[in-house]
Amino acid sequence: FSKDKTILIQYPEGKDATSYTIPEGVTEIGNYAFWDCDALKSVTIPEGVTSIGESAFSNCSSLTSITIPESVTSIGESAFFDCSSLTSITIPESVTEIGNYAFYGCSSLTSITCKNTTPPTLIEYEGENSTFEGVDKSIPLYVPAESVEVYNNTKYWKEFTNIQAIPSSSVANAKAETQDSVRKEYRDGQVLIIKGDKTYTMFGTEY
């Protein structure tokens, strides 16, 4: 770590832990910070981290899960290069820029979720981009419903052939249904609470 503990410079070499949670207070993951840490299977990045450096997780061949918080705005070049066990990735709404080769060789990805309504800029090198080179372009790319057409017409992003709206959360749907099924009525000079097919007074007794 840097002296003020805000930059994670390098994960201890040779450490054999399979999971790691980056401490609170870190704002930047440095270049090559987790490079070639092939024992790691999952990493949790805390809120407050704004950038993931160049090759930060490159060659983490066992990494299957990583949590990227909404505070991250940029993902560096080759950040997840050859993370061949990574099965899914969620790119938060806050990310506006993704470096070339960032997910190069992530051949086990079965889905990608990108929450930004505006497709993040994929950085080019000499007029070309390889951010998702080696990724199956037929896997679902989930984006905000209102942005499906935008992604389908944006350079490089449109290479994905299965761009879909982000599925609604079943939890959110259940909550909405519960809220919809509870209503108030004024009857006989009192307030009644109606839940499904039952009616209650404000005191909780059945009407």
Side-chain angles (χ1 to χ4, degrees):
F1 293 94
S2 60
K3 189 174 289 187
D4 62 2
K5 305 288 187 182
T6 61
I7 302 173
L8 195 163
I9 297 172
Q10 185 176 15
Y11 182 74
E13 199 171 345
K15 193 172 182 179
D16 58 3
T18 57
S19 64
Y20 182 69
T21 298
I22 295 172
E24 297 287 339
V26 171
T27 59
E28 182 182 337
I29 299 172
N31 297 344
Y32 300 93
F34 290 87
W35 185 80
D36 209 24
C37 292
D38 54 10
L40 277 175
K41 293 183 178 180
S42 68
V43 175
T44 299
I45 303 172
E47 285 290 342
V49 170
T50 59
S51 64
I52 298 174
E54 178 182 331
S55 297
F57 295 93
S58 184
N59 295 320
C60 290
S61 57
S62 298
L63 191 67
T64 60
S65 171
I66 188 150
T67 302
I68 302 176
E70 291 288 345
S71 54
V72 171
T73 59
S74 65
I75 297 173
E77 180 179 328
S78 302
F80 297 95
F81 185 95
D82 210 20
C83 288
S84 54
S85 297
L86 199 61
T87 56
S88 66
I89 191 78
T90 296
I91 301 166
E93 185 179 0
S94 53
V95 171
T96 58
E97 182 179 283
I98 303 175
N100 205 0
Y101 303 104
F103 296 100
Y104 185 103
C106 293
S107 54
S108 294
L109 281 174
T110 58
S111 70
I112 298 169
T113 300
C114 191
K115 293 183 175 181
N116 200 330
T117 53
T118 301
T121 299
L122 303 183
I123 302 300
E124 294 180 330
Y125 176 72
E126 295 185 348
E128 296 185 358
N129 175 270
S130 300
T131 297
F132 294 103
E133 187 72 30
V135 175
D136 182 359
K137 299 301 193 301
S138 68
I139 65 172
L141 169 60
Y142 297 110
V143 303
E146 66 270 31
S147 301
V148 170
E149 187 174 350
V150 178
Y151 277 82
N152 271 316
N153 289 287
T154 299
K155 191 176 182 181
Y156 302 123
W157 288 105
K158 66 182 181 181
E159 294 176 4
F160 286 92
T161 60
N162 189 12
I163 300 176
Q164 305 179 32
I166 296 172
S168 298
S169 166
S170 56
V171 174
N173 288 342
K175 185 177 180 181
E177 289 172 4
T178 301
Q179 289 174 337
D180 290 342
S181 66
V182 179
R183 67 184 194 278
K184 290 182 181 180
E185 269 191 19
Y186 294 92
R187 196 185 304 169
D188 299 332
Q190 61 180 319
V191 178
L192 300 177
I193 310 297
I194 298 171
K195 294 182 179 181
D197 59 355
K198 292 191 176 183
T199 303
Y200 301 88
T201 68
M202 288 292 287
F203 302 104
T205 56
E206 194 163 348
Y207 180 75

